[in-house]
Amino acid sequence: MIKYQIKFKSSTAKEFKNLPSNIQKRVGEVLEKMRENPRISGVIKLQGDDKLYRIKVGDYRLVFEIDDSEKLIRITRVRHRQDVYKK
């Protein structure tokens, strides 16, 4: 089975680096599972956008796009649940 590639937006990479280390580890574990199947249990499609999905990791949310043709997952946001949907 071909694994999906995971790419972070540059601003999202900064957000990820600023997370507490235990949250970084949990997010990393979730991302590793998503490489096999990007629509694992807990992944929900966001309303109002054709491309965006989200998954909960404790009090944090990962918002991402799935590109099946390129086998790519683009992480667009990694934030606390209170801040993730604010622009």
Side-chain angles (χ1 to χ4, degrees):
M1 177 191 273
I2 297 174
K3 290 188 175 186
Y4 281 70
Q5 234 184 348
I6 296 175
K7 291 192 178 182
F8 285 84
K9 273 180 39 178
S10 59
S11 60
T12 305
K14 282 183 183 179
E15 291 175 0
F16 180 75
K17 289 177 184 176
N18 290 331
L19 293 176
S21 61
N22 63 327
I23 300 298
Q24 284 182 7
K25 182 179 177 187
R26 289 178 64 191
V27 167
E29 291 169 356
V30 168
L31 291 175
E32 194 57 38
K33 289 179 188 175
M34 288 174 55
R35 291 188 72 209
E36 299 284 334
N37 174 15
R39 293 170 182 87
I40 61 174
S41 176
V43 169
I44 296 176
K45 185 153 181 23
L46 293 180
Q47 293 182 354
D49 195 304
D50 291 341
K51 301 179 192 176
L52 292 179
Y53 296 81
R54 73 123 165 100
I55 189 164
K56 297 178 182 180
V57 180
D59 285 341
Y60 289 80
R61 305 293 181 263
L62 272 71
V63 178
F64 56 94
E65 298 175 1
I66 300 172
D67 186 340
D68 291 312
S69 63
E70 293 184 29
K71 299 289 185 196
L72 179 65
I73 300 169
R74 286 185 200 92
I75 310 298
T76 59
R77 282 176 262 166
V78 180
R79 295 185 191 153
H80 192 273
R81 62 186 174 93
Q82 293 176 334
D83 302 323
V84 73
Y85 304 110
K86 295 178 184 175
K87 292 205 176 196

